[in-house]
Structure formats: structure tokens, C-alpha cells
């Protein structure tokens, strides 16, 4: 241990010392949720004292040692187990038995990005990455209906699912709203979503919006011969109303697979996300993250990263979450943040900023468990679907200022096409209107798949040429 570290350890009072173990033998032994914070002390405490106070307040402790502690309560103490003094980083191990049993994301976040974000002892505290042990993955739902199920329904493979958000964001009547859906679908688009504030506004009553969308979808499916999907915002003032909205959609005659439920996960909350996941396991759960910027923007010293938000969305069971346009669109975000977040939720194994997260529910090293299951699968095939093996994938949903001209630049940064893109202005601002906007998007995707530059391809695709003309190529 370096002399600086030794000095820091010796500066701890007895309470703080109970929340530090820089020699923790095996943090990834399965007993802990691991977290890494960017932390700068904000008061008179040094970095290790402040880190210990954070570990205390975000697990079992408070600002003084209390007489009511027990030997068992002390085993639930979170532990500072690693420091990086150059980069102001602190690693904390949380005994996962601290958390509500049966899988509760809201409860975890109340600990690790709860009170501690408000503590005087820190000037900066940002949760940059988390690591879940297989023992925790077992307890959490993870995604039910995935983008692979949506692809099967749409018969769309090996390209992004092409979507839009109806614009103007608000103010259309239900009939006008449905007309825009129809136009996008007959223009060749796959997927339409409500915008994040869509609810039961008097000029667009929820039930009427649902009914009109159904008509528009039936018409578009008939005319195009292609399946279509609509993502309905079911966020609501209370859970009963949320479920009522879901039931309106379920009972409106939509084919299973043709609708998704959108939740404003930050403002409606994690309970809403997990309720929908558990009530409707066979419906695509679309996590919109309006408000996340308060926690994730890089210039904000307090909060959590886009990667952390995305990982918790997968754990909670979101089928897809907005992960940002990696600086290509209108929102703040960098390739490092947005693409790492996207990859972090798509794959079975993903490298985060600090942790390599396997989403397998069985440790690879557990060879006998794995071989037993393979044996079983050989003879009994009782495990048709593979969720026993790992938490299913969560799909990056990419919007924020994208347009047909920016599709390829985004794909180049993303490195794959396994995502849903939803372009609002990028479609509805097209000089030829929504149908042409959809056509331009389809043509831009065709050009990408054929490896043809869009300028070349636009020579005999008018709508794409107009999009190139209209949307700046910054
Ligand atoms: C996009 C959008 C999305 C945000 C979400 C909007 O519209 O509908 O909600 O982009 O951002 O309301 O702005 P445009 P993110 O396509 O017209 O920009 O995906 O980063 O969470
Ligand atoms: Mg308290
Ligand atoms: Mg029309
Ligand atoms: Mg929106």
C-alpha cells in the first residue's frame, strides 16, 4: 500500500473504517453489486474519508456511529475497495442482500444515487458504471419481448427498424395524429411512436387516438402488405390509469406484436417500468428517458452516466431505451458515452467504462452447470427459449435530431444496425411532407445497405435528393 494511501487509511475514524476495505479479496465473487464513482470531496474531509461517508450513507450508515449497530448489520456495510487518486475515482462494493428481494431497480437507485447526491461532503459524485453479479441477474426480469421478436413480426432483418415520432410534438387531434401515422407507414416506415408528453389531452382523447391509429394501421398494412408497429405512451398520473391505457390498446383489436408500450421512465419512474414489464411480458417495453440530462450530461458533476441508466433499464426489463445519437443528432452526447451504452445493453457480454458485464445468469466458469443444461436441452428440450442462460438484449432506440442524411454517419459511429431509429423533424420537415420524408429515410437506408453514397443514390431517388437539399450535412 503506498504511503499516501496508508496516510489516508490512518486518517479514518472508527465509523469510516467500517466502510473501507482496500484489500477486499474478490469483489467479483458474486456477493456484491459493484459501482465506480467520479468523486471530488466538497468539505473538510479527504478523499478516503469522503468516500467512506458515501459508502456509509448509501448502505447502512449515517453521519455518526450509532449504538444500535449489530454484528449482522455491519456485514451489510458497503465497502470502498479501490481508489484512483489521479482520476478522482472511487470503487464501492454493495452486498447485494442490501436490496429488496425479487428484483427492484427503484430500491437499488435509492441507495446508490439517492441521498448521497445531496451530501455536503462531495462537490462531485457521478456514478459512471455498475456491475451486476449473476446472482442478481437471476432476480431481475430483464427484457421480455425483444427487438428480435419485433423483427420477426415486421419481417425486418439486417437493417435498423425505421421509425418516426409524430410531430408537432403536441396539438394534433386524434384524426390528424393518425393521418401522420398513415403517411409515414405508407411511405415505407415500420414504426411510429407517441412523443414523450402524449397522454389524454382534451384535443386528442386517448381512446380516440388509439381507435384512429388502429384504422390508420389497418389501412397502411392493407395498402403496403407490410406489418407496422405503433408505440403508445402509457405513462399516466397513477398506475390504475396506466393499466387502463394499456387495456384500451390491448382491447382495440391490435395484433400482438403491432403495439409497444412507451414509459417516460425518468418522470413516471421505475415502478411504472417494472409494472408494465411484469403485467405485459409479451409487449415491447419502450423506455423514453426524457429528463435524463439532469443526471447524465457530462458537464453535470452529480448524477449517473448514460451507460448506468441503460444497464438499469435492461435489468428492469425495458425492451429498448433511448441511448442517444453519439453527437450526430441534436442532443448532448459523445460516441464514448452513447455507443458504449448502446453496446452495453445489446450484447451478452459488454465492456463498460470500467466493468466488463456478462449478462449470463450462469457464470461461464460454472462448467458443470452449463454442461448439465446442454445435456438437458439435448434430451428434454424443456428450455425452449434461452432466457435461463442470460438476460435478453435491450435495444438502443436512437432519435434526437436524426434525419435521412445523418443515418449513415450514425451507423458508422454505432458500428451495427441492430437498433430502432425514430426521426421526428427528420421525416416531417421534409419539403414533400411525411410520406416523402419516410421515402427519403427508406432510400437512405437502402443506399447504406447497398454501399452507395447517398448523393449517388439520390440521382434517381427524388425524395432523398430533396432531403439532402433540405437537411444540413454538418
Ligand atoms: C426527437 C424527440 C425525442 C428526443 C429524445 C424529441 O424528435 O421526439 O423525444 O430526441 O432524445 O422530442 O425531441 P426529433 P433521446 O427527431 O424531431 O429530434 O433519444 O436522446 O432520449
Ligand atoms: Mg435517510
Ligand atoms: Mg395525407
Ligand atoms: Mg420526443
Amino acid at each position: 500500500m503506498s504511503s499516501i494511501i496508508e496516510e489516508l487509511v490512518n486518517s479514518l475514524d472508527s465509523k469510516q473504517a467500517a466502510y473501507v476495505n482496500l484489500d477486499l479479496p474478490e469483489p467479483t465473487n458474486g456477493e456484491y453489486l459493484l459501482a465506480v464513482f467520479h468523486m471530488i470531496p466538497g468539505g473538510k474531509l479527504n478523499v478516503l474519508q469522503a468516500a467512506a461517508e458515501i459508502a456509509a450513507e448509501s448502505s447502512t450508515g449515517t453521519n455518526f456511529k450509532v449504538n444500535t449497530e449489530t454484528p449482522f448489520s455491519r456485514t451489510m456495510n458497503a465497502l470502498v475497495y479501490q481508489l484512483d487518486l489521479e482520476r478522482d475515482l472511487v470503487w464501492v462494493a454493495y452486498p447485494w442482500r442490501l436490496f429488496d428481494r425479487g428484483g427492484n431497480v427503484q430500491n437499488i437507485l435509492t441507495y446508490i444515487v439517492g441521498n448521497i447526491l445531496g451530501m455536503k461532503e462531495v462537490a462531485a459524485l457521478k456514478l459512471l458504471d455498475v456491475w451486476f453479479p449473476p446472482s442478481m441477474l437471476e432476480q431481475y426480469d430483464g427484457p421480455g419481448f425483444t427487438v428480435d421478436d419485433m423483427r420477426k413480426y415486421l419481417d425486418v432483418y439486417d437493417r435498423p427498424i425505421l421509425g418516426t415520432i409524430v410531430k408537432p410534438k403536441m396539438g394534433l387531434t386524434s384524426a390528424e395524429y393518425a393521418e401522420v401515422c398513415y403517411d409515414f407507414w405508407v411511405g415505407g416506415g415500420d414504426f411510429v411512436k407517441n412523443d414523450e408528453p402524449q397522454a389524454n389531452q382534451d384535443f386528442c382523447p386517448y381512446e380516440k387516438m388509439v381507435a384512429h391509429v388502429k384504422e390508420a394501421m389497418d389501412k397502411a398494412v392493407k395498402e403496403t402488405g407490410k406489418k407496422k408497429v405503433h408505440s403508445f405512451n402509457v405513462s399516466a398520473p397513477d398506475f390504475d390509469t396506466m393499466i387502463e391505457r394499456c387495456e384500451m390498446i390491448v382491447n382495440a383489436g391490435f395484433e400482438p406484436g403491432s403495439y409497444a408500450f412507451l414509459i417516460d421512465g425518468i418522470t413516471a419512474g421505475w415502478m411504472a417500468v417494472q409494472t408494465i414489464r411484469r403485467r405485459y411480458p409479451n409487449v415491447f417495453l419502450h423506455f423514453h428517458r426524457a429528463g435524463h440530462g439532469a443526471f447524465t450530461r457530462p458537464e453535470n458533476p452529480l448524477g449517473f452516466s448514460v451507460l448506468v441508466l441503460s444497464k438499469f433499464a435492461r435489468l428492469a426489463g425495458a425492451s429498448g431505451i433511448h441511448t442517444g445519437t453519439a453527437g450526430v443528432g441534436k442532443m448532448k452526447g459523445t460516441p464514448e458515452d452513447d455507443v458504449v451504452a448502446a453496446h452495453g445493453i445489446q450484447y451478452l457480454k459488454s465492456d463498460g467504462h470500467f466493468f466488463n458485464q456478462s449478462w449470463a445468469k450462469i457464470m461461464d466458469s460454472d462448467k458443470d452447470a452449463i454442461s448439465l443444461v446442454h445435456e438437458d436441452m439435448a434430451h428434454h428440450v424443456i428450455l425452449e427459449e434461452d432466457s435461463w442462460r442470460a438476460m435478453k438484449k435491450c435495444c438502443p432506440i436512437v432519435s434526437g435530431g436524426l434525419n435521412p442524411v445523418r443515418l449513415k454517419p450514425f451507423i458508422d459511429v454505432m458500428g451495427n444496425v441492430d437498433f430502432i431509429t425514430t426521426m421526428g423533424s427528420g421525416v416531417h420537415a421534409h419539403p414533400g411532407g411525411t410520406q416523402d420524408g419516410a421515402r427519403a429515410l427508406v432510400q437512405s437506408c437502402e443506399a447504406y445497405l447497398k454501399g452507395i453514397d447517398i448523393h449517388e443514390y439520390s440521382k434517381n431517388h427524388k425524395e432523398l435528393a430533396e432531403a439532402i437539399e433540405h437537411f444540413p450535412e454538418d
Side-chain angles (χ1 to χ4, degrees):
M1 194 183 285
S2 77
S3 59
I4 303 176
I5 298 286
E6 206 152 331
E7 238 176 82
L8 288 170
V9 169
N10 294 336
S11 75
L12 299 175
D13 65 29
S14 64
K15 187 210 82 177
Q16 290 163 348
Y19 292 93
V20 174
N21 179 351
L22 298 178
D23 301 322
L24 189 65
E26 213 196 326
T28 55
N29 70 355
E31 284 170 44
Y32 304 103
L33 176 148
L34 305 180
V36 56
F37 295 90
H38 172 258
M39 189 204 77
I40 297 176
K44 39 197 189 316
L45 299 180
N46 67 39
V47 62
L48 189 55
Q49 291 167 335
E53 293 299 339
I54 291 300
E57 180 63 37
S58 61
S59 61
T60 58
T62 178
N63 53 346
F64 284 95
K65 187 174 170 60
V66 293
N67 309 314
T68 42
E69 275 185 13
T70 67
F72 175 73
S73 77
R74 276 194 285 279
T75 67
M76 288 294 112
N77 289 4
L79 298 168
V80 176
Y81 69 92
Q82 192 177 325
L83 286 176
D84 177 328
L85 300 177
E86 270 70 56
R87 295 189 292 168
D88 300 316
L89 297 174
V90 171
W91 282 254
V92 181
Y94 290 87
W96 66 266
R97 292 173 63 201
L98 276 170
F99 307 123
D100 187 12
R101 288 191 301 179
N104 176 347
V105 167
Q106 165 278 328
N107 181 257
I108 302 176
L109 295 174
T110 300
Y111 280 106
I112 67 177
V113 283
N115 286 353
I116 53 176
L117 292 186
M119 285 177 70
K120 282 185 204 151
E121 293 311 340
V122 290
L125 185 67
K126 191 148 206 174
L127 178 58
L128 299 179
D129 201 355
V130 283
W131 181 82
F132 308 114
S135 37
M136 275 189 75
L137 296 181
E138 266 301 299
Q139 291 195 49
Y140 285 78
D141 302 293
F145 191 93
T146 70
V147 65
D148 291 340
D149 299 310
M150 186 183 285
R151 287 185 178 285
K152 224 181 286 170
Y153 178 74
L154 288 169
D155 192 23
V156 164
Y157 299 94
D158 307 324
R159 67 168 171 83
I161 289 176
L162 303 179
T164 190
I165 307 112
V166 173
K167 302 286 179 182
K169 185 180 286 235
M170 196 45 62
L172 297 182
T173 64
S174 20
E176 290 165 340
Y177 177 91
E179 172 74 14
V180 176
C181 296
Y182 169 78
D183 284 343
F184 181 72
W185 280 324
V186 290
D190 308 306
F191 177 97
V192 179
K193 69 177 279 288
N194 279 157
D195 220 333
E196 69 279 1
Q198 186 81 35
N200 186 32
Q201 285 81 0
D202 65 296
F203 47 79
C204 186
Y206 204 86
E207 200 139 19
K208 280 183 71 180
M209 182 266 296
V210 171
H212 279 101
V213 167
K214 176 72 172 54
E215 268 169 50
M217 185 185 279
D218 290 349
K219 216 166 133 224
V221 167
K222 201 152 152 268
E223 286 174 19
T224 61
K226 299 254 193 261
K227 299 284 189 188
K228 305 295 180 183
V229 173
H230 187 281
S231 182
F232 291 94
N233 191 341
V234 295
S235 312
D238 59 270
F239 285 81
D240 295 338
T241 309
M242 178 177 79
I243 299 300
E244 242 172 67
R245 290 178 180 170
C246 294
E247 288 305 302
M248 273 185 217
I249 297 150
V250 171
N251 299 322
F254 287 95
E255 245 184 354
S258 67
Y259 60 88
F261 292 148
L262 183 149
I263 286 279
D264 293 322
I266 303 288
T267 51
W270 292 91
M271 283 176 70
V273 175
Q274 290 202 250
T275 298
I276 297 291
R277 169 64 184 83
R278 294 179 174 179
R279 288 280 191 106
Y280 301 96
N282 301 316
V283 179
F284 189 94
L285 173 47
H286 182 158
F287 189 121
H288 193 287
R289 59 179 190 168
H292 74 95
F295 299 96
T296 61
R297 283 184 70 134
E299 64 272 36
N300 179 345
L302 297 152
F304 47 77
S305 67
V306 172
L307 174 65
V308 163
L309 172 60
S310 308
K311 279 184 167 180
F312 275 107
R314 181 173 187 175
L315 201 70
S319 309
I321 180 170
H322 289 242
T323 48
T325 58
V328 174
K330 74 184 181 189
M331 300 289 194
K332 268 267 187 181
T334 64
E336 293 67 41
D337 281 352
D338 293 355
V339 172
V340 166
H343 293 173
I345 57 174
Q346 285 178 305
Y347 304 131
L348 177 64
K349 283 194 176 137
S350 46
D351 296 352
H353 298 309
F354 296 92
F355 298 121
N356 301 333
Q357 178 72 52
S358 164
W359 297 89
K361 295 176 180 174
I362 301 177
M363 300 284 263
D364 282 348
S365 52
D366 197 343
K367 297 293 175 227
D368 16 2
I370 301 276
S371 61
L372 191 72
V373 172
H374 285 304
E375 176 75 11
D376 194 17
M377 286 184 65
H379 298 295
H380 306 290
V381 198
I382 55 166
L383 299 160
E384 291 81 29
E385 44 107 44
D386 68 352
S387 61
W388 56 269
R389 174 76 178 82
M391 191 162 274
K392 291 182 180 179
K393 67 166 63 166
C394 178
C395 169
I397 300 171
V398 184
S399 72
L402 285 186
N403 59 55
V405 174
R406 292 180 176 167
L407 180 64
K408 179 179 183 306
F410 177 75
I411 296 174
D412 290 347
V413 171
M414 175 72 156
N416 70 56
V417 291
D418 194 17
F419 58 88
I420 298 172
T421 178
T422 55
M423 299 182 187
S425 62
V427 163
H428 310 297
H430 187 287
T434 297
Q435 288 197 23
D436 286 358
R439 290 188 185 103
L441 176 53
V442 170
Q443 290 159 11
S444 170
C445 188
E446 283 167 355
Y448 174 78
L449 296 173
K450 291 175 181 166
I452 302 170
D453 176 83
I454 54 168
H455 301 88
E456 193 48 42
Y457 203 69
S458 70
K459 284 180 181 149
N460 42 23
H461 291 89
K462 159 173 97 58
E463 296 82 2
L464 182 55
E466 286 166 352
I468 293 170
E469 182 67 27
H470 186 75
F471 295 109
E473 287 190 62
D474 44 36

